[in-house]
Amino acid sequence: MEIMVKRRFLGDKYTIGSLFVNGERFRVDGKAVDTLEDKNRDANMNGRFDDGERKMYGQTCIPFGKYEVGLDFSPKFSKKPSYTAFIRKGKMPHIRNVPSFEGILIHGGNTPADTLGCLLVGFNTIKGGLTQSLHVFKQLYAEIVAAMDNGEKVTIEFVP
């Protein structure tokens, strides 16, 4: 399974993208899914912090590039009632081996304050935020789990 985030708005406080799965725009209830991340600090978009660029904890989006996605236990989300009803054994989609980052997950959330460096999914129907995020995340989570259950490798790529 190949997930792609095509970043379409790189603002001074947040980043909005479009979500694709296996080359097709990911849709839930017939609506195209969007992403929300922190501000892009990789100005030259090469996937590295260089030439004076620097990561700021909880305020920097994931560097451009391609990464493996795994399902790993999350102490935080394994205790949230809105997630425990559907996540498998407390495991959340974890974007692995991101340079200068740890614990980067895909999850629900509505504002840049909810990201803390993670990737949020939902519908970008409000300026600078997402709506119906948990509903959208449930659908994406089910797709990721199904792919992994079928023995597929899951990757995510962040592109301009």
Side-chain angles (χ1 to χ4, degrees), residues 143-153:
E143 296 276 335
I144 291 170
V145 168
M148 289 182 177
D149 285 350
N150 286 332
E152 290 181 49
K153 179 179 179 180

Side-chain angles (χ1 to χ4, degrees), residues 29-42:
D29 301 333
K31 295 185 260 182
V33 171
D34 303 299
T35 63
L36 176 63
E37 299 175 81
D38 288 316
K39 176 181 177 171
N40 174 53
R41 297 182 190 280
D42 178 16

Side-chain angles (χ1 to χ4, degrees), residues 109-134:
N110 301 308
T111 70
D114 298 329
T115 65
L116 285 177
C118 294
L119 178 69
L120 307 182
V121 294
F123 302 121
N124 180 222
T125 57
I126 56 175
K127 184 176 180 176
L130 299 175
T131 58
Q132 298 183 36
S133 187
L134 186 59

Side-chain angles (χ1 to χ4, degrees), residues 54-129:
R54 67 183 181 92
K55 177 189 182 298
M56 295 178 64
Y57 175 78
Q59 299 178 33
T60 305
C61 70
I62 300 156
F64 289 91
K66 190 171 188 175
Y67 308 97
E68 178 185 347
V69 176
L71 283 178
D72 294 318
F73 181 77
S74 168
K76 177 181 176 179
F77 287 95
S78 66
K79 295 176 185 162
K80 285 191 165 203
S82 55
Y83 286 82
T84 57
F86 69 91
I87 63 172
R88 183 185 285 180
K89 298 180 182 177
K91 294 183 178 182
M92 293 286 287
H94 175 211
I95 303 172
R96 296 179 174 163
N97 303 314
V98 179
S100 305
F101 286 73
E102 291 181 25
I104 302 302
L105 303 176
I106 302 170
H107 60 86
N110 301 308
T111 70
D114 298 329
T115 65
L116 285 177
C118 294
L119 178 69
L120 307 182
V121 294
F123 302 121
N124 180 222
T125 57
I126 56 175
K127 184 176 180 176

